[in-house]
Structure formats: C-alpha cells, structure tokens
C-alpha cells in the first residue's frame, strides 16, 4: 500500500481564474489550487508524473499571466489617452510603443 503525499508547486498564483483555466486546458483533475499554489495530494506511486504536471501547469500559468498583465497595461494606457504604435526592430521583433495623444 502506498503512502499519501502532498506535492506543492513553487509558483505563486495571483489570478485564480487563469489558474483554473490552465488546469482545464491541460486536463489535470488530480491537481488543485490551495493557498495560491498548485497542489497534488494522493498516492506516492504517481509522484514523479505529478511533479512534471505541476511544472507544466506553472509554466503555462506564467505565460498566460504575463499576457494578462500586458493586456491590462495596454487597456489602462488607452484609457489614459495613450495611442499604441507597433515598431519592427532590426532583429524582426515587434516593439510596442505608447504615445501620448495631444490635442
């Protein structure tokens, strides 16, 4: 008989809705969100597999959270009267520039 273990993620969750979206997207039913962390409680038999799943969930959450923050910043800037301009740099990266509207 295997022991019951608890595996906690290292990433602090700041947006529960995004974290739930990540769990649904990756179809991780055994992992829950508690105390702003991804947590697995269950059989020791699946320990390594669950650690990989938590790491994968944290990476996807981090990516989604960065996009969420960027969208919030751009939305806030537009509300304050800034205009968004895109510039393509020499190394083909897109650079976002906020320009204050002057009337």
């Amino acid at each position: 008989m295997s022991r019951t273990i608890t595996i906690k993620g290292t990433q602090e969750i700041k947006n529960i809705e995004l974290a739930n979206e990540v769990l649904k997207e990756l179809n991780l039913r055994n992992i829950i969100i508690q105390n702003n962390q991804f947590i697995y409680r269950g059989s020791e038999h699946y320990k390594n597999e669950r650690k990989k799943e938590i790491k994968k969930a944290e990476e996807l959450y981090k990516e989604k959270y960065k996009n969420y923050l960027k969208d919030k910043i751009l939305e806030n800037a537009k509300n304050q009267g800034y205009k968004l301009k895109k510039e393509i740099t020499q190394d083909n990266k897109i650079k976002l520039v906020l320009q204050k509207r002057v009337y």
Side-chain angles (χ1 to χ4, degrees), residues 45-58:
H45 180 71
Y46 300 108
K47 180 179 178 180
N48 293 330
E49 185 180 324
R50 298 301 179 232
K51 280 184 180 179
K52 290 177 186 175
E53 289 176 352
I54 287 176
K55 187 174 182 176
K56 193 177 199 180
E58 287 179 334

Side-chain angles (χ1 to χ4, degrees), residues 36-86:
N36 296 331
Q37 290 180 317
F38 291 112
I39 293 180
Y40 166 74
R41 283 196 183 100
S43 173
E44 184 180 33
H45 180 71
Y46 300 108
K47 180 179 178 180
N48 293 330
E49 185 180 324
R50 298 301 179 232
K51 280 184 180 179
K52 290 177 186 175
E53 289 176 352
I54 287 176
K55 187 174 182 176
K56 193 177 199 180
E58 287 179 334
E59 289 172 1
L60 184 58
Y61 169 77
K62 192 183 294 185
E63 181 181 317
K64 285 183 176 270
Y65 189 69
K66 283 181 185 178
N67 289 335
Y68 169 77
L69 286 180
K70 186 180 75 174
D71 291 344
K72 282 292 191 183
I73 290 170
L74 293 176
E75 182 182 316
N76 189 27
K78 285 181 182 179
N79 290 340
Q80 292 183 11
Y82 285 87
K83 181 179 173 185
L84 178 65
K85 294 175 72 178
K86 293 181 183 177

Side-chain angles (χ1 to χ4, degrees), residues 1 8-9 22 30 44 61 80-82 88 92 97 101:
M1 190 165 112
K8 294 182 181 181
V22 166
N30 297 326
E44 184 180 33
Y61 169 77
Q80 292 183 11
Y82 285 87
I88 300 178
N92 292 330
V97 178
R101 291 187 204 154

Side-chain angles (χ1 to χ4, degrees), residues 9-39 53-69:
T10 56
Q11 178 75 35
E12 180 184 353
I13 296 172
K14 297 178 182 174
N15 188 324
I16 300 296
E17 293 173 4
L18 283 178
N20 283 326
E21 190 178 302
V22 166
L23 292 178
K24 286 180 186 175
E25 190 175 316
L26 295 176
N27 197 22
L28 300 175
R29 296 184 190 135
N30 297 326
I31 297 173
I32 59 171
I33 300 165
Q34 189 175 25
N35 296 332
N36 296 331
Q37 290 180 317
F38 291 112
I39 293 180
E53 289 176 352
I54 287 176
K55 187 174 182 176
K56 193 177 199 180
E58 287 179 334
E59 289 172 1
L60 184 58
Y61 169 77
K62 192 183 294 185
E63 181 181 317
K64 285 183 176 270
Y65 189 69
K66 283 181 185 178
N67 289 335
Y68 169 77
L69 286 180

